[in-house]
Amino acid sequence: MIEIKEKSKFSVGEVAKLVATSTRTIRYYEEIGLLEHPQRRGNRRVYSGEDLRRLKFIRRLKLLGLSLAEMSELKDIYKIHQSNRKVLSRLLELFERHIDKIEQSIEGLQTLKREIERYRERIHQKLNGNNGNGKPVGKSKGEKK
């Protein structure tokens, strides 16, 4: 295990392993400005402990449902105000919006579950020889035998 200290320097491969992501993803985050371009030693990127913490934070926000655009917005807020307070206030607003979306999804899934259960019950009734009204399932008068 690699010890993480403020003065530690990491290659892109080491950082990718430590944050469980790909080197391509790390480079993409640099391209879109979500992660600052790291120092270089020759042609190699060299990441600091701060870069590693930033990537872990990005990963955590992604797992919590924030989009890259929302993360970029948070970074911009920090650049403007140089205050975590403003960032955290906006983060709370984003979390509230995501909670609302999740609750709507849960309601939709519960509705879908009920519909599937009703349909499953109708199928069981047909397979067991009645059509839900107590009468055996059979061909109607107009159907050919």
Side-chain angles (χ1 to χ4, degrees), residues 128-144:
N128 291 330
N130 67 54
N131 61 8
N133 60 11
K135 296 181 182 177
V137 175
K139 299 200 185 291
S140 65
K141 292 180 184 178
E143 289 185 60
K144 293 182 181 179

Side-chain angles (χ1 to χ4, degrees), residues 44-101:
R44 302 189 75 133
R45 291 173 165 89
V46 180
Y47 296 86
S48 67
E50 182 60 32
D51 295 325
L52 187 59
R53 276 191 293 284
R54 176 94 180 133
L55 278 165
K56 286 182 177 183
F57 183 62
I58 291 168
R59 183 146 167 79
R60 170 51 94 194
L61 292 178
K62 189 174 180 189
L63 289 172
L64 293 173
L66 268 67
S67 69
L68 296 179
E70 290 168 329
M71 289 183 230
S72 185
E73 176 190 349
L74 294 173
K75 184 179 180 194
D76 291 345
I77 291 170
Y78 184 81
K79 278 184 175 180
I80 292 167
H81 298 283
Q82 295 294 308
S83 165
N84 280 336
R85 188 169 191 78
K86 296 278 187 179
V87 172
L88 294 175
S89 293
R90 178 63 180 138
L91 187 56
L92 282 176
E93 291 172 7
L94 293 171
F95 282 157
E96 289 302 321
R97 194 168 75 209
H98 283 279
I99 288 169
D100 290 343
K101 285 181 185 177

